[in-house]
Amino acid sequence: MKAFSLLAGSIILFLTGCLSQKPTYSSEVLQKTQVHRTIAVLPFKVTFTPGFLEDLYLRRKRPVSYDEFAWEHERTAGLELQYAFFKQVTRQVEKGKMKIVCLDILQTNKLLGQQNISMKELYNTPKEIIAQTLGVDAIILGETAINMDRRIVGWGGVDTRVSLYDVKNKSILLSDETNERFNRPMDTPAYLANSTVQTLARRLPY
């Protein structure tokens, strides 16, 4: 079983209104985002507590190095959180709560691949190059830290930070972050990470 798996439609989140309520943005942010027509969500950069992955590594079913094992979990989680964020944005657009076009993530990842921008090198690649590759007005960059030990209920949780890169001004326009704590045995990394991503997607200034 994967340590991190987000199954579309399998998780129902009950989030309080205050968590997903949009922050009060500055006039500068609102002015710049008003001219955005298209955005792209990049695969998230995900890190796991070493102890969490080491426990899973000891129970692996096929021979593989620890580095390969860890990267596969980070890569899978990054793609799944990219999908979760994209899906939440499109839902907000469908409900009329946002006015923005979000580049399909399959197209996003295809364009990145065509320019040989791998997930491992994605967050080390100049944002100007990524923007030119995708041809959008803004880019969503996300980082999630899974700090959990499943053997200790009440310890750790998930922290997610999202940044909005403005292509025209070649700068990070805003950053937002939230977290979920590990309080119950049912609080899996997937459940908590998905919760943070959906909350942040709802708070975009569009």
Side-chain angles (χ1 to χ4, degrees), residues 108 111-115 117 128-136:
T108 295
L111 291 172
L112 292 173
Q114 288 175 346
Q115 295 300 315
I117 302 175
E128 294 85 351
I129 294 177
I130 296 175
Q132 183 178 8
T133 298
L134 300 179
V136 293

Side-chain angles (χ1 to χ4, degrees), residues 12 49 61 63 115 153 178 190:
I12 300 177
T49 300
K61 295 183 178 180
Q115 295 300 315
V153 177
T178 190

Side-chain angles (χ1 to χ4, degrees), residues 147-157 181-188 192:
N147 302 307
M148 297 174 65
D149 187 330
R150 294 180 300 172
R151 299 164 297 182
I152 309 174
V153 177
W155 182 87
R181 296 302 91 190
F182 178 33
N183 294 314
R184 303 168 299 174
M186 67 179 67
D187 288 339
T188 64
L192 298 181

Side-chain angles (χ1 to χ4, degrees), residues 16-205:
T16 60
C18 61
L19 286 178
S20 56
Q21 184 177 358
K22 291 187 179 182
T24 300
Y25 294 107
S26 68
S27 57
E28 179 186 6
V29 168
L30 294 176
Q31 182 180 11
K32 291 180 178 178
T33 55
Q34 280 180 354
V35 300
H36 291 171
R37 296 292 177 265
T38 56
I39 62 173
V41 182
L42 301 184
F44 275 51
K45 180 179 181 180
V46 179
T47 57
F48 288 88
T49 300
F52 181 85
L53 286 182
E54 288 171 0
D55 179 53
L56 292 173
Y57 182 69
L58 293 175
R59 294 184 278 114
R60 68 192 184 283
K61 295 183 178 180
R62 61 187 179 87
V64 62
S65 70
Y66 176 78
D67 287 344
E68 291 177 298
F69 181 84
W71 168 243
E72 181 57 26
H73 282 78
E74 293 165 0
R75 186 189 70 82
T76 300
L79 291 172
E80 291 176 339
L81 289 180
Q82 177 194 29
Y83 171 78
F85 195 100
F86 166 79
K87 192 67 175 178
Q88 185 58 229
V89 171
T90 57
R91 284 175 181 168
Q92 296 301 303
V93 172
E94 290 169 357
K95 292 178 180 179
K97 295 182 178 181
M98 286 187 186
K99 294 181 179 180
I100 195 69
V101 174
C102 193
L103 187 65
D104 186 273
I105 57 173
L106 294 179
Q107 181 68 3
T108 295
N109 296 342
K110 178 181 178 180
L111 291 172
L112 292 173
Q114 288 175 346
Q115 295 300 315
N116 297 315
I117 302 175
S118 68
M119 274 190 67
K120 278 190 174 181
E121 296 300 324
L122 182 59
Y123 281 76
N124 294 323
T125 302
K127 299 177 186 65
E128 294 85 351
I129 294 177
I130 296 175
Q132 183 178 8
T133 298
L134 300 179
V136 293
D137 298 312
I139 296 171
I140 301 293
L141 305 100
E143 297 187 44
T144 295
I146 313 292
N147 302 307
M148 297 174 65
D149 187 330
R150 294 180 300 172
R151 299 164 297 182
I152 309 174
V153 177
W155 182 87
V158 175
D159 299 276
T160 297
R161 181 182 182 87
V162 164
S163 298
L164 180 65
Y165 177 79
D166 183 74
V167 174
K168 181 179 179 180
N169 295 282
K170 298 182 179 180
S171 63
I172 297 295
L173 188 56
L174 63 89
S175 292
D176 194 6
E177 59 186 47
T178 190
N179 61 72
E180 290 284 350
R181 296 302 91 190
F182 178 33
N183 294 314
R184 303 168 299 174
M186 67 179 67
D187 288 339
T188 64
Y191 182 93
L192 298 181
N194 194 61
S195 176
T196 63
V197 164
Q198 291 201 26
T199 296
L200 293 173
R202 287 189 182 99
R203 300 201 310 216
L204 287 178

